[in-house]
Amino acid sequence: MKKALIVVDVQNDFCPGGSLAVAHGDEVVAPLNKLMKEFLDRGEPVYKTRDWHPPKARHFADYGGTWPVHCVQNTPGAEFHPNLLDDPRVTVISKGIDEGADGYSGFDGTQLAEQLREQGIDEVWVGGLATDYCVKHTVLDALREGFRVRALADAMRAVNINPDDGAQAIAEMRAAGAEIVGSESKEAGRGN
Ligand SMILES: [Zn+2]
């Protein structure tokens, strides 16, 4: 069983103070840093995805979409959280780069599946932001691509536009075949 770690969208705009802040989003940094270090120490691949939108993406409410402007290419909001481990061995996957793309999933419009297969990866561990959007879609696509998936409940947080969105996302990931590890109360955003 060869595994890889996928750290989803731990970017300034999704953390407290950002334009699309996820409550307690920065709390994923510490557990993900620990895992990244462990994976890299064992020589296992680590990927970081990032939302990387053009300024006039249709994904944004101003241009017909859903969301406030966030993670615009080459802006501070699109940078990874300053405390997130930075290492030259980590592969960065940029998504949502087309004006018409939502880019919720790290597999959407990227080479991630091909890169994982080239490395002989069987299983991916996934955490990051946010549980109910980019993490969920990345997990579901990984399963569709034939990878085993461990969803890291302690290392993800939800937007929770509706209070149960995080919990429902977890249920959906589990129903699709992901193994949920860690405390589900955190990723579901309960107790905030
Ligand atoms: Zn986005």
Side-chain angles (χ1 to χ4, degrees), residues 9 14 20 51 53 59-60 67 70-71 95 102-104 134:
D9 295 12
F14 296 131
L20 184 43
D51 234 7
H53 296 302
H59 180 63
F60 298 150
W67 304 105
H70 63 274
C71 298
K95 62 188 182 58
D102 284 317
Y104 292 128
C134 293

Side-chain angles (χ1 to χ4, degrees), residues 2 6-7 11 17 38 45 63 69 109-110 116 126 128 130 132 140 144 149 160 166 178 187:
K2 193 172 175 195
I6 303 175
V7 173
Q11 292 167 272
E38 289 169 3
Y63 303 97
V69 172
T110 73
L116 291 169
V126 183
D132 36 356
L140 296 178
R144 267 183 222 115
V149 179
N160 280 339
E187 56 30 54

Side-chain angles (χ1 to χ4, degrees), residues 102-119:
D102 284 317
Y104 292 128
S105 163
F107 292 90
D108 183 5
T110 73
Q111 298 297 306
L112 180 55
E114 290 76 5
Q115 286 176 265
L116 291 169
R117 276 195 269 275
E118 275 167 20
Q119 291 175 306

